[in-house]
Each structure stands twice: as structure tokens, then as C-alpha cells.
Amino acid sequence: MSTSDWLRTDIGTTTADSITVRGHDLAGELMGKITFTELAFLLVQGRMPERGETVLLDAVLVSLADHGLTPTVLAARLTHTGAPESLQGAVAAGLLGAGSVFLGVVEDAAVFLVGVVGKGAGDEAGLLAGADAAVAARLDAGGRVPGLGHPIHKVEDPRTPRMYAIAAEAGVLGPHLRALEMVAAAAAARTGRALPINGAGAAGAALADLGFAPEIVRGFALLARTAGIVAHLAEEMERPMGLPLFRDIDERLAEGGR
Amino acid sequence: MSTSDWLRTDIGTTTADSITVRGHDLAGELMGKITFTELAFLLVQGRMPERGETVLLDAVLVSLADHGLTPTVLAARLTHTGAPESLQGAVAAGLLGAGSVFLGVVEDAAVFLVGVVGKGAGDEAGLLAGADAAVAARLDAGGRVPGLGHPIHKVEDPRTPRMYAIAAEAGVLGPHLRALEMVAAAAAARTGRALPINGAGAAGAALADLGFAPEIVRGFALLARTAGIVAHLAEEMERPMGLPLFRDIDERLAEGGR
Amino acid sequence: MSTSDWLRTDIGTTTADSITVRGHDLAGELMGKITFTELAFLLVQGRMPERGETVLLDAVLVSLADHGLTPTVLAARLTHTGAPESLQGAVAAGLLGAGSVFLGVVEDAAVFLVGVVGKGAGDEAGLLAGADAAVAARLDAGGRVPGLGHPIHKVEDPRTPRMYAIAAEAGVLGPHLRALEMVAAAAAARTGRALPINGAGAAGAALADLGFAPEIVRGFALLARTAGIVAHLAEEMERPMGLPLFRDIDERLAEGGR
Amino acid sequence: MSTSDWLRTDIGTTTADSITVRGHDLAGELMGKITFTELAFLLVQGRMPERGETVLLDAVLVSLADHGLTPTVLAARLTHTGAPESLQGAVAAGLLGAGSVFLGVVEDAAVFLVGVVGKGAGDEAGLLAGADAAVAARLDAGGRVPGLGHPIHKVEDPRTPRMYAIAAEAGVLGPHLRALEMVAAAAAARTGRALPINGAGAAGAALADLGFAPEIVRGFALLARTAGIVAHLAEEMERPMGLPLFRDIDERLAEGGR
């Protein structure tokens, strides 16, 4: 295999007097003209988003950026305690916990819904049948239907109705978001217990509707979370939590717990 | 020290029926109303940006997101080759190389310029004197003035004039961007060699003008770079480079190099 | 739940005049008396290894430490290129690629063999039947039997017979290593194609024989690999490969590949 | 520059029927014949250690492997909470906090002592003068002398006298360990306050005496720490601390701290 088969990227190139991103001149065509959210869409999909797509992608990123003092944020702050000279290390540590348990739901929901939509006939009846079949298969296998239920928001996740409203207003409410509602209804009918669609599930469905492959959907959750981690590290620099937390634990260990 | 002294965050909280970020209701006040860039500003500074500030921050993030096949992007793609199941690991590996050599310039420039501006009397004459003194001190110590020169863009970094134009149009061209021009002029006068202001330096100055502490400036470079890394990983999934690169190196090693 | 239920560790404690690891005084009982390999065993299992166990664990760690210029080593070296001030970042980047594709085999083999041994009646006939049933189930499901075959060592992986000989001599050749041989024979009989047991598979079997839970087996592969990565980073400091590799790729990209 | 100038490694190579590490056949000459500690020495230095060197390196690694529930261990355990499927991610997160504040002392001490020994005339009088001059320079610059003092072991770090005794018995007590004692004495004389040599400082001196360049010394601290992190992750799998810690913090936050 010659190098030209694999050593190339369509994302960006640099020459002595220009920087090109996805075929656009960075300085002349992108800086000052598109937002970072539009650039993120362009970088991954290779085309500019429509206005409604940008609105929905912004809503997704805004919804996922911060959730207070999560385990991943604590990991980032504790890492900063030990290596304050390496901000990238603390951010990386914070991202490494964004795996299957927390942020994984965004990806799981997208994978599940792409399966539902892909098998459907394209019309509402097809989606309904596909959603019910997928839910039945998942429950029969003893699995959980992704995107439903939340440990804190037991009645309703406030992000979910908002995401649907934004998508509808922007004219980009697509088959994956619609299928997720059918999935929630099918799961309630089959289990006898209605669980609310959670914000991570709605985000996964929205990203699938925006045309992102389910394998890269987690990347947008990571992008959003990076903003939250950076904010926590800025706060950690001004008001350290890592060292007091460590000392508190040390004292409680010395007391034999409490 | 009681726990209440250190165990608190001003960034965000979650209750059963609401999520609050920097005092704003996430679903009702932020989703669908602000962009991800505005949220990142809000998360770190605790206040909403003005319109001009958002424009400049978007320009900074857009300018830093991608630079083609850099060592950090290669590290991310190679990590994906070995652990395709962990997207967060590949993104983290890509960020870990964003240290002193490449992205560090953004921070170095901000630190240097905050020093210049902080010592100045506030007027142009004070800035000029401060810039010259700081350049003289750095050169006397055998150091390099940060933010000047570029290995590829030897005459002009195309991002720099664009960043200044955007900041001026948006009405947010502040003392750090102005000081950087004076620093470039002072360095040229003292060394007899004019070096262009590079894009990383302009980005660092712009972030300082936007009110970010120099210690957290690198965080925005990491945020921008995350979007580029995610795009490269999406491309890697479709058209792998990691394994062919590895095999190519293996073959060349077997030939004893070339 | 009171804190004492979860806030405790059996691994180590520190007081003003002593450091205790797994109930042993670090300075008085461990330093100078046990090797690092024995300590790693003690740390994870909570008991001192027998002499034969130490010999086999050393052989496993020695066998897994380095494999030349792998993708993970390249990722570590490229990360060092960008962030030479953060050795821990370069080591972490190198470990992050030790996922399912390369080092995962060690864990996969251990999990598979623990399943075979756990179901067996304990005697050789039981093991044989268990191995054949597990292989049949895996092949029927369209999966691959872990621990067999190698892209380079097509006839025999030189580490494998050596691992068996060492385990036998040390008196610790247990059911998992024995089961792996049966698994290889069963797979050959069922597929008509004999694949050699690879070194990663033998290492996984040996670690299971040493009493490590399959979920932590990958941890020893990571420990071994850390030594190899540190060596590559020491070489990188003396003779950089990251930057030339990056430039080489840049040149080839400029030529449009080759 | 031709590829052969930079694309080569002296560490290891693999062919169809052999694996070679630092010129030794891995299966025939290393597995079962040397310990993992000896391999780590061989990998980095390119030569086999003498018996006394192995004893001292083992003591160093044993002394640095675990320190109970440190911030870095907590970061690793919390990362596992979010991404239990990626053991390498949790280990990497644990290593990322091994920066300037905690493990950096090992490197700082080595760098400082290499400076002292390098300037000395080689005899005891030269070392004494070099130690005093280096201490004076550091204190005059307002800095801290590395390797002295400990927040918990205020009178004596139990690892230190043990490290000296082991090095002496093994016949490898070299100029860096000797210089560290002189440095401690000089610092006490100049500040009027005697601080004990801490274990990290003794480890750094020992690694320098073993011939490791100060830039790679931190790598051995990372290697040692990896064993401790793996043990904590094994314990985390059996008895989770990450989730209860997170919930405990959540409850205390809800109460407004305590």
C-alpha cells in the first residue's frame, strides 16, 4: 500500500501563508464569521451547519457542559492539586472518567436510536413498530433501555422538554428524537413503569438527528464537558478543594471513619 | 477548618427539578438562548459576556481548534488504534501533548502581557515603556519573547491581522493586544530582526483582554483543540491512519531506516 | 450509610513515625527485604507471594514490558514532543492506548480461562470438557478464541513455551495455563487450523493461576508496559523521534503522500 | 535528514521467531532469569545492573509504591467510578497527578544533587563545599532545598535511614546520597532549623547514584506508583469508594457544607 492511500487528512492543512480548515481559509472565511459550535460541526461533518442545526448543537453542548461536583470534576481538581503546572493533565484526568457510567448514556442512546430508525420504514408507523421491537428485544435480553430514568430527576429531567421545544422551533426535530419518545412510551407500556427521558438521552438523539455517527457522539459530550472542567479548574486555582478534601479524608481515616 | 469553608462550588448545582449553572436555570434561561461559547465564558468568569466579547472569544477558539496532523493529533489517533472502545482515552492522549512546546505559547504570551499591562501607567506611553522594559529584561536573561515568530508562517501568521481586525470591529481591542504590538516592535528594535506576531500569541493576548486570568488561558486552547481532536478521531474511524503508520514505521525499521 | 462503611483502605496507612503497607512496616519489613515484584503482588492480593509465584510474576512482567516501537510508544514519544515538562503526561498517553486491541488480550484470555476453569469439575477430564464447550460456544457465536494466533509469530510465539517451562519449574503451573493448552487444541480440532498460543494469552493464564481476578489482570500489563514506556521516553530525550516523525509526515503530506 | 538518522530504537525489536530487548533474547535470556526490576534497569540504561544496584533499585521502588489514600489515588478511584470499562484510563488519571507537588520531589532532589556532585572536586571536601554553595544559592534565591522536611514525618522519615543502610550494605552508597546528607547539614546550619531528609529525596539521590539521568528519575516514581494505583483499583472493584465519596460530598453540599 502506498503512503498516499492512508497518509492524508481532509480536515486541515497549513502552508507558509495560509491555514485551511475543511477547504475554507481559516483567517479569511472562518475567524469572525462562524461560531466555535459551527466550526466543531464543520470539522467533524465537513460541511457547514444550517442555522437550525447550529441552534440545536449549541443547546446540546450547553446542556452537557456542567453538572456540579461530579466524580470526574473531583478527579480533575485532585489531579491539579498534585500537578498544578500541567493544566492539560488535570483536564485529561477529568475526561478519563467520562466513560460508560455517566456520559456513556449519550452514546448508548444514539446507538440504540440509530438502530430503531435504521430498521423503520421511514414513516411514523414504521418508527413505532421499530421502537417497540427494539425495546422488547432489549428488555428480553435483561438489559436497560438507554436514555430513560435519572437518579435525581425522577419525574422529569428539565433539559428534555426544553431540547424537544428547541429542536421543534428550529425545524430540526428529526426521527431519532421522535423515536426516543416512542421508545419511552413502549418501555412504559411493557414494564408498567413510566420513566422520564433523561437529558443525556435527549442529547444523544439530537446529535443523531444532526447527522453525527453514533461512534463520535461521545466526542461532543467530551467537548462540552471540557468547558465545565476548565471552569472547575479556574475555581480550584482561586479556592482549592483538592487539598482540604484530601486532608478531610485523611482525618476521617485516622478516626476510623465516622 | 469546617467543611463549609471549602466544600462548595459557585459553578453549578442540581436539585430534583432544576439544574442551575452560575445562578441561571439551565433549561429555562440558557439552553436555546446562549451559544456554547457564551456558556464557556459564563462558566469560567461567572458573568455573561457582552456581544463583542463573544465575537472575539469565538474567533480565538476557531483560530486554535485545528492545525492539521500535529504530534498531538497523531498521538490521539494512535491511541485510538489500541483502544477504540475508549474515545475519552484517545481525546485525553491528544490533549496531554498540548504542553509548553505548542499550546504553551498562548499561556506564555498571556502571562508576559499581563506583566506588561499590570506595570504600565494605563496610558499608551506607560504601555510602551512597560513593553520595552519587559522585552529588554527577557532578552537580557537570554530568554525568548513569547508570541513572536512561527516556523512556517515566517512573514506573517494569517490569523494575527484577522484577530486584531475582529477585536477592533467588536470594540474589544484591549491593552493586552495593544501591548503585544508594542512588544513586537520593541523586540524588533532591540534584536534588529522583525518577527511576526504569531496566532497563538494573538490568541493569548485576546484571552487576557477578555478578562481571563493567565493561568486558565491554556484551558481555552485545550477546549478549542478538543474539537479538532474529535474531528480527527471521527476521520480515523472511517479511514484509519494509526495502523498503517505503525506498519510503515515497522517496515522502515526492518529495512534499517532509509 | 456511615462513613466508616466505605472510607477505609486495607492497602496502606501513614502515621507520624511509620508507614504501613498491607500490615507490614514499610521501612523495617519491606524495604531491602522484598523485590518490587513481590510488593506488587502483596499490594494487590494482601499476602506475600510464595517463591514460585514471584518467579512466574517476574516472568510475566518481563514478557510484557516492551515490544519495540508500538503505537502506544509512539503516542508517548509524540506527547513528550509537545509537553516535555510533564513526564507523567507522556507515560499516561502511552498507557491510554493499552486497550482492547493490544493489551486487552491478556485480560480477555484470563476472563475466558477463568470461565473454563470455574465450570470444570476440577480434574483433567472436567477441564477438557469445559475447554471444548467454551471454544464451541465462542466459535458458534462468531467470536474469536482469545490468546491464540499472532500477526508476526505465526508458528510459535517464543514467550509461550518459555512461560510454561518457567511455571512448571517453579511448581506453579496451574489450571488456567493447562486449560489454555486444551483451548488451543480444541480450537484447532474445531477449526481445522492450529494457531499458536500467544504470549499475551500465556501471560493472562499465568496471572489467573497466580490468583489475580481477571478484572485486574490488565493492571499488570499496564505495570509492565510502564517500564517500557519510561525507557522509550529516556531514549526520546537523548535522540528525539517525535519531531522528525512529525516533520517527515508533514513533508509527505505536502508531496500528496507517495 | 534521512530516516535512518532518527527512525531507530536501541530498546527492542521483534522478528517472526524472536523478540530482542536491549540485545538480549527475551524468551531465552531474560524471562525466568531476571526480575522485573532488573529489566526496568536494563531497559533504561542498556546494561544489566550489578547485584547491589538491583537491591537499591528495588528498595527505591518499594519505598515509593504506595502512600495510602493520596489525591492521585482518589482521582484514579473516581475515574474508575465513571469509566469502569477502561482500567488504563483510571491508571492514567492516577499518574497525571504525580507532578511537581508530590512526586516532583524525587526529581527535584536528583536535579539538585547532580548539580552538587557535578561541581564538586570528587573528594569529600569538594562535595561539602559544593553542597554548602548550592544550599546557599537556593536559600538566597528564596527557594526551598529539595528533599528536606515532611508534613507528617516531622522528626524522621522512616524510609530515609533504611535507604542509607540498604545502600551501604549493598556497596552502592554513592556521591549523591552522601551529598544529600551534607545538603541537610548545610541547610540546618544556615537556617538554624534541622529538617529530616524525606523519603522522596533519598529515593531521588539513590536513583542518581544508580546512574539515572535526573530527567528520567520521575519515571521510576511513576513506575512504583503504578503498582499502588493498580492495587487501589483492585480494592475499588471489590469495595467501591468513588460513588459513596461522591454521594457524601453531594449530601454535604446540599446541607451547605458542615
Side-chain angles (χ1 to χ4, degrees):
Chain A
M1 185 166 63
S2 88
T3 307
S4 55
D5 290 334
W6 57 267
L7 189 57
R8 62 192 172 89
T9 175
D10 293 339
I11 296 174
T13 55
T14 296
T15 68
D17 50 14
S18 75
I19 303 170
T20 307
V21 174
R22 288 290 189 187
H24 299 267
D25 181 66
L26 175 64
E29 296 176 56
L30 302 179
M31 284 173 67
K33 297 192 175 156
I34 66 171
T35 66
F36 180 51
T37 300
E38 289 171 309
L39 183 80
F41 188 108
L42 171 66
L43 278 168
V44 175
Q45 294 215 19
R47 70 165 176 89
M48 283 287 185
E50 305 285 329
R51 175 73 195 138
E53 291 172 324
T54 301
V55 169
L56 185 56
L57 183 53
D58 265 316
V60 168
L61 293 171
V62 166
S63 78
L64 294 173
D66 186 69
H67 294 85
L69 277 177
T70 56
T72 56
V73 158
L74 281 174
R77 294 180 82 136
L78 287 160
T79 300
H80 180 79
T81 302
E85 74 282 4
S86 170
L87 194 68
Q88 72 273 15
V91 171
L95 292 179
L96 287 170
S100 61
V101 174
F102 297 110
L103 284 192
V105 177
V106 184
E107 179 177 319
D108 294 345
V111 170
F112 189 81
L113 295 169
V114 164
V116 168
V117 171
K119 281 180 195 151
D123 56 6
E124 297 299 297
L127 268 189
L128 263 174
D132 190 59
V135 166
R138 180 63 63 100
L139 294 176
D140 287 352
R144 290 187 54 183
V145 179
L148 305 183
H150 194 281
I152 295 175
H153 309 298
K154 291 186 194 299
V155 179
E156 184 180 77
D157 187 321
R159 294 168 294 179
T160 303
R162 188 75 188 112
M163 190 79 80
Y164 275 88
I166 290 165
E169 277 168 45
V172 290
L173 203 162
H176 301 89
L177 277 167
R178 290 208 310 277
L180 180 53
E181 290 186 308
M182 298 172 188
V183 162
R190 287 188 173 274
T191 64
R193 185 175 165 223
L195 290 174
I197 296 173
N198 57 45
L207 289 166
D209 272 344
L210 288 168
F212 294 103
E215 298 80 31
I216 203 61
V217 149
R218 191 184 297 194
F220 284 87
L222 294 167
L223 177 61
R225 201 51 64 91
T226 300
I229 293 170
V230 168
H232 276 278
L233 292 171
E235 191 181 65
E236 181 72 19
M237 290 174 190
E238 288 185 11
R239 206 167 66 200
M241 181 183 296
L243 214 51
L245 172 64
F246 171 50
R247 286 191 186 132
D248 174 72
I249 284 172
D250 232 36
E251 277 170 33
R252 289 202 271 165
L253 278 175
E255 293 167 18
R258 183 179 42 182
Chain B
M1 185 167 60
S2 88
T3 307
S4 55
D5 290 335
W6 58 266
L7 190 56
R8 60 192 173 88
T9 175
D10 293 339
I11 296 174
T13 55
T14 296
T15 67
D17 50 13
S18 76
I19 303 170
T20 307
V21 174
R22 287 289 188 188
H24 299 267
D25 181 68
L26 176 64
E29 296 176 57
L30 302 179
M31 284 174 65
K33 296 190 176 159
I34 66 171
T35 66
F36 180 51
T37 299
E38 290 171 308
L39 183 79
F41 188 108
L42 171 66
L43 278 167
V44 175
Q45 294 216 19
R47 69 166 177 90
M48 282 289 184
E50 304 285 330
R51 175 71 196 138
E53 292 171 324
T54 301
V55 168
L56 185 57
L57 182 53
D58 266 316
V60 168
L61 292 171
V62 166
S63 77
L64 295 173
D66 187 69
H67 294 86
L69 277 178
T70 56
T72 57
V73 158
L74 281 174
R77 293 180 83 137
L78 287 160
T79 300
H80 181 80
T81 303
E85 74 283 5
S86 170
L87 193 67
Q88 72 273 16
V91 171
L95 292 179
L96 286 170
S100 61
V101 174
F102 297 110
L103 284 192
V105 177
V106 184
E107 180 177 318
D108 294 345
V111 170
F112 190 80
L113 295 169
V114 164
V116 168
V117 171
K119 281 182 197 151
D123 55 6
E124 297 299 298
L127 269 188
L128 263 174
D132 191 58
V135 166
R138 180 63 63 101
L139 294 175
D140 287 353
R144 292 187 53 184
V145 179
L148 306 184
H150 194 281
I152 296 175
H153 308 299
K154 291 185 193 299
V155 178
E156 183 180 79
D157 187 322
R159 294 167 296 179
T160 303
R162 188 75 188 111
M163 190 80 79
Y164 276 88
I166 290 166
E169 278 167 44
V172 290
L173 202 163
H176 302 88
L177 277 167
R178 289 208 311 278
L180 180 53
E181 291 185 308
M182 298 173 188
V183 161
R190 287 188 172 274
T191 64
R193 186 175 165 224
L195 289 175
I197 297 173
N198 57 43
L207 289 166
D209 272 344
L210 288 168
F212 294 103
E215 298 79 31
I216 202 61
V217 148
R218 191 185 297 194
F220 284 87
L222 294 167
L223 177 61
R225 199 52 64 92
T226 300
I229 293 170
V230 168
H232 276 278
L233 292 171
E235 190 181 68
E236 181 73 18
M237 289 174 191
E238 288 185 10
R239 207 167 67 200
M241 181 184 295
L243 213 51
L245 172 65
F246 171 50
R247 287 195 182 126
D248 173 72
I249 284 172
D250 232 36
E251 279 170 32
R252 289 201 272 165
L253 278 174
E255 294 168 17
R258 183 187 42 178
Chain C
M1 184 166 65
S2 88
T3 307
S4 54
D5 289 335
W6 58 267
L7 190 56
R8 60 195 174 86
T9 176
D10 292 341
I11 296 174
T13 54
T14 296
T15 67
D17 50 14
S18 76
I19 302 170
T20 307
V21 174
R22 287 289 188 188
H24 299 267
D25 181 67
L26 175 64
E29 296 177 58
L30 302 179
M31 284 173 65
K33 297 192 175 157
I34 67 172
T35 66
F36 179 52
T37 299
E38 290 171 309
L39 182 79
F41 188 109
L42 171 66
L43 276 168
V44 175
Q45 295 215 20
R47 69 166 177 89
M48 282 289 186
E50 304 285 328
R51 175 73 196 136
E53 292 172 323
T54 301
V55 169
L56 185 57
L57 182 53
D58 265 317
V60 168
L61 292 171
V62 166
S63 77
L64 294 174
D66 187 69
H67 293 84
L69 276 178
T70 56
T72 57
V73 158
L74 281 174
R77 294 179 83 136
L78 286 161
T79 300
H80 181 79
T81 303
E85 74 283 5
S86 170
L87 194 67
Q88 72 272 17
V91 171
L95 292 178
L96 286 171
S100 60
V101 174
F102 297 110
L103 284 192
V105 178
V106 184
E107 179 178 319
D108 294 344
V111 170
F112 189 80
L113 296 168
V114 164
V116 168
V117 171
K119 282 181 196 151
D123 56 4
E124 297 298 298
L127 267 189
L128 263 174
D132 191 58
V135 166
R138 180 62 63 101
L139 293 176
D140 287 352
R144 293 188 52 182
V145 179
L148 306 183
H150 194 282
I152 297 175
H153 309 298
K154 291 184 192 302
V155 179
E156 184 180 78
D157 187 323
R159 294 167 295 179
T160 302
R162 188 74 187 111
M163 189 79 79
Y164 276 89
I166 290 166
E169 279 167 44
V172 290
L173 202 163
H176 301 89
L177 276 167
R178 291 209 309 281
L180 180 53
E181 293 186 307
M182 298 172 189
V183 162
R190 286 187 172 273
T191 64
R193 184 173 166 224
L195 290 174
I197 296 173
N198 58 45
L207 289 166
D209 272 344
L210 288 167
F212 293 104
E215 298 79 31
I216 202 62
V217 148
R218 191 186 296 194
F220 285 87
L222 294 168
L223 177 61
R225 199 52 64 93
T226 301
I229 293 170
V230 168
H232 276 278
L233 291 172
E235 191 181 66
E236 181 72 18
M237 289 174 192
E238 289 186 10
R239 205 168 66 199
M241 180 183 297
L243 213 51
L245 172 64
F246 171 50
R247 287 194 184 129
D248 174 71
I249 284 172
D250 233 35
E251 278 169 31
R252 289 203 272 164
L253 277 176
E255 294 168 17
R258 187 184 40 186
Chain D
M1 184 166 65
S2 88
T3 307
S4 54
D5 289 335
W6 58 267
L7 189 56
R8 60 194 173 87
T9 175
D10 292 340
I11 296 173
T13 54
T14 297
T15 67
D17 51 12
S18 77
I19 302 170
T20 307
V21 174
R22 287 289 188 189
H24 299 267
D25 181 67
L26 174 65
E29 295 176 60
L30 303 179
M31 284 173 65
K33 296 191 175 158
I34 67 172
T35 66
F36 179 51
T37 300
E38 290 171 309
L39 182 78
F41 188 109
L42 171 66
L43 277 168
V44 175
Q45 294 215 20
R47 70 167 177 88
M48 282 288 186
E50 304 285 329
R51 176 72 194 136
E53 292 172 322
T54 301
V55 169
L56 185 57
L57 182 54
D58 265 318
V60 167
L61 292 171
V62 166
S63 77
L64 294 174
D66 187 68
H67 293 85
L69 277 178
T70 56
T72 56
V73 158
L74 281 174
R77 293 179 84 137
L78 286 161
T79 300
H80 181 80
T81 303
E85 74 283 5
S86 170
L87 194 67
Q88 72 273 16
V91 171
L95 292 179
L96 287 171
S100 60
V101 174
F102 297 110
L103 284 192
V105 178
V106 184
E107 179 178 318
D108 293 343
V111 170
F112 189 81
L113 295 168
V114 164
V116 169
V117 171
K119 282 181 197 152
D123 56 6
E124 297 298 296
L127 268 189
L128 262 175
D132 191 58
V135 166
R138 180 62 63 103
L139 294 176
D140 287 351
R144 292 188 53 182
V145 179
L148 306 184
H150 194 281
I152 296 175
H153 309 298
K154 292 184 191 301
V155 179
E156 183 180 79
D157 187 323
R159 293 168 295 179
T160 302
R162 188 73 188 112
M163 190 79 79
Y164 276 90
I166 290 167
E169 279 168 43
V172 290
L173 203 163
H176 301 88
L177 276 167
R178 290 208 311 279
L180 180 53
E181 292 185 307
M182 298 171 189
V183 162
R190 287 188 171 272
T191 64
R193 185 174 166 225
L195 290 173
I197 296 173
N198 56 45
L207 288 166
D209 272 344
L210 288 167
F212 294 103
E215 298 79 31
I216 203 62
V217 149
R218 190 186 297 193
F220 284 87
L222 294 168
L223 178 61
R225 199 52 64 91
T226 300
I229 292 171
V230 168
H232 276 277
L233 291 172
E235 191 181 64
E236 181 71 19
M237 289 173 191
E238 289 186 9
R239 207 168 65 199
M241 180 183 296
L243 213 50
L245 172 64
F246 170 51
R247 287 193 183 128
D248 174 71
I249 284 172
D250 232 36
E251 279 170 31
R252 289 202 272 165
L253 277 175
E255 293 168 17
R258 185 178 43 184

